[in-house]
């Protein structure tokens, strides 16, 4: 597997990792807005990215970011209302959208609480395509997609053994997750792997073992969902904190 477009950075703490993420976001946004007039990014939920979102909404970045030219999408969402404790949107809204005063029309929420999830996926893809002005014959190409990784090697809502792993036609689709017995909404590999920049944020010692498997797989080891994120014409970066990177020190020093 070609790893020439892969960058791995290790930070002393989640705070330092989060600041680096915010700086990368701001740098990419400024470049895209300068060159094309807008910046399109997709944000993951979970817990790891929260601090980076808070920093982006903070004073250090407010003067650097023209939010009126930034459109934010979701990487995935759970089948819960927007105010539910499990909602990825709820976390993003509290950490970023409200404090940054992002114009409402610039955040594209996944309405994963609706029962007609397949229609939601179709509508979301149409909105994604329209906002990014993507021709029907192409996949949306976002400037930045921020991903996390679970201890089972899932990313987005692409879980081991789930149907969406083999999706090649739709940019967004429902995906039944057996371990939670629930249907989620997720971006698919065709969108993830068409991004200009994918940025994984992984922190915590509990991710150490799975991170070694994903970044430095043993021969013949099973391929996990996070390993299939390989931007075709883009950059892939892994931002890790030291606890998460504790089992790959030797590999990183070669
Ligand atoms: C979700 C996320 C998911 C997340 C990983 C890691 O809906 O849960 O999008 O893919 O990124 O589960 O989560 P943590 O950052 O909380 O470890």
């Amino acid at each position: 597997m070609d790893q020439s477009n892969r960058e791995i950075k290790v930070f002393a703490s989640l705070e330092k990792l989060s600041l680096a993420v915010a700086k990368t976001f701001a740098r990419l946004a400024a470049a895209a807005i300068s060159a094309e007039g807008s910046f399109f990014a997709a944000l993951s939920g979970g817990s790891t990215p929260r601090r980076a979102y808070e920093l982006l909404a903070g004073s250090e970045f407010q003067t650097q970011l023209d939010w009126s030219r930034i459109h934010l999408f979701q990487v995935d969402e759970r089948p819960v209302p927007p105010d539910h404790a499990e909602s990825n949107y709820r976390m993003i809204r509290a950490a970023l959208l409200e404090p940054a005063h992002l114009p409402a029309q610039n955040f594209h929420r996944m309405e994963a609480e609706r029962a007609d999830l397949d229609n939601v996926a179709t509508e979301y893809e149409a909105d994604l395509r329209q906002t990014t002005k993507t021709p029907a014959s192409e996949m949306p190409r976002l400037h930045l997609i921020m991903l996390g990784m679970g201890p089972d090697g899932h990313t987005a809502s692409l879980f081991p053994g789930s149907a969406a792993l083999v999706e090649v036609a739709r940019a967004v689709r429902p995906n039944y997750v057996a371990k939670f017995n629930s249907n989620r909404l997720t971006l698919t590999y065709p969108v993830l792997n068409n991004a200009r920049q994918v940025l994984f944020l992984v922190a915590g010692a509990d991710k150490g073992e799975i991170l070694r498997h994903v970044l430095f797989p043993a021969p013949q080891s099973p391929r996990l969902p996070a390993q299939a994120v390989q931007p075709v014409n883009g950059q892939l970066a892994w931002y890790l904190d030291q606890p998460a990177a504790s089992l790959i020190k030797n590999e990183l020093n070669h």
Side-chain angles (χ1 to χ4, degrees):
M1 189 188 319
D2 171 27
Q3 304 291 18
S4 60
N5 66 338
R6 185 177 88 175
E7 172 190 28
I8 300 174
K9 286 188 173 179
V10 182
F11 300 89
S13 64
L14 178 58
E15 182 69 17
K16 289 183 166 62
L17 184 160
S18 303
L19 183 57
V21 169
K23 288 178 176 176
T24 298
F25 182 105
R27 172 174 55 81
L28 294 173
I33 290 167
S34 169
E36 304 162 50
S38 50
F39 177 66
F40 304 123
L43 307 182
S44 278
S47 56
T48 306
R50 183 182 184 110
R51 183 59 183 142
Y53 299 159
E54 291 172 346
L55 290 170
L56 280 171
S59 54
E60 178 175 349
F61 293 93
Q62 274 317 295
T63 54
Q64 298 179 46
L65 291 163
D66 179 356
W67 289 111
S68 71
R69 293 181 177 274
I70 295 173
H71 279 267
L72 301 178
F73 298 88
Q74 289 190 253
V75 166
D76 65 335
E77 187 56 277
R78 296 88 177 266
V80 296
D83 287 319
H84 191 283
E86 291 293 306
S87 165
N88 287 334
Y89 166 73
R90 182 175 183 264
M91 182 275 283
I92 297 168
R93 181 183 63 193
L96 176 57
L97 307 186
E98 287 179 344
H101 308 296
L102 185 81
Q105 68 273 18
N106 287 40
F107 186 81
H108 304 258
R109 185 176 79 84
M110 285 182 167
E111 299 175 350
E113 72 276 13
R114 283 170 41 186
D116 59 333
L117 211 45
D118 203 69
N119 289 337
V120 177
T122 301
E123 292 166 17
Y124 198 84
E125 176 162 349
D127 177 35
L128 174 60
R129 287 179 171 279
Q130 182 183 9
T131 306
T132 57
K133 299 184 175 59
T134 301
S137 61
E138 298 175 16
M139 271 292 157
R141 180 165 167 75
L142 297 179
H143 295 101
L144 173 63
I145 299 180
M146 291 171 61
L147 297 175
M149 184 179 68
D152 59 358
H154 85 263
T155 189
S157 280
L158 300 167
F159 284 78
S162 64
L165 293 177
V166 297
E167 180 62 54
V168 293
R170 300 179 77 177
V172 189
R173 60 162 280 172
N175 195 32
Y176 175 69
V177 183
K179 74 189 294 188
F180 301 127
N181 186 28
S182 78
N183 284 299
R184 293 189 172 193
L185 208 61
T186 187
L187 297 185
T188 58
Y189 286 125
V191 176
L192 302 185
N193 288 334
N194 200 36
R196 299 190 196 189
Q197 175 75 55
V198 174
L199 183 51
F200 273 97
L201 287 63
V202 183
D206 64 318
K207 301 284 176 72
E209 186 56 44
I210 198 71
L211 196 63
R212 178 167 60 179
H213 179 116
V214 167
L215 292 179
F216 302 99
Q220 312 308 322
S221 58
R223 188 166 161 84
L224 295 171
Q227 289 173 268
V229 177
Q230 298 287 343
V232 175
N233 179 20
Q235 298 303 306
L236 173 62
W238 290 78
Y239 283 16
L240 316 172
D241 72 354
Q242 278 174 353
S246 60
L247 300 181
I248 56 173
K249 288 175 185 162
N250 293 337
E251 288 85 348
L252 294 178
N253 291 332
H254 284 161

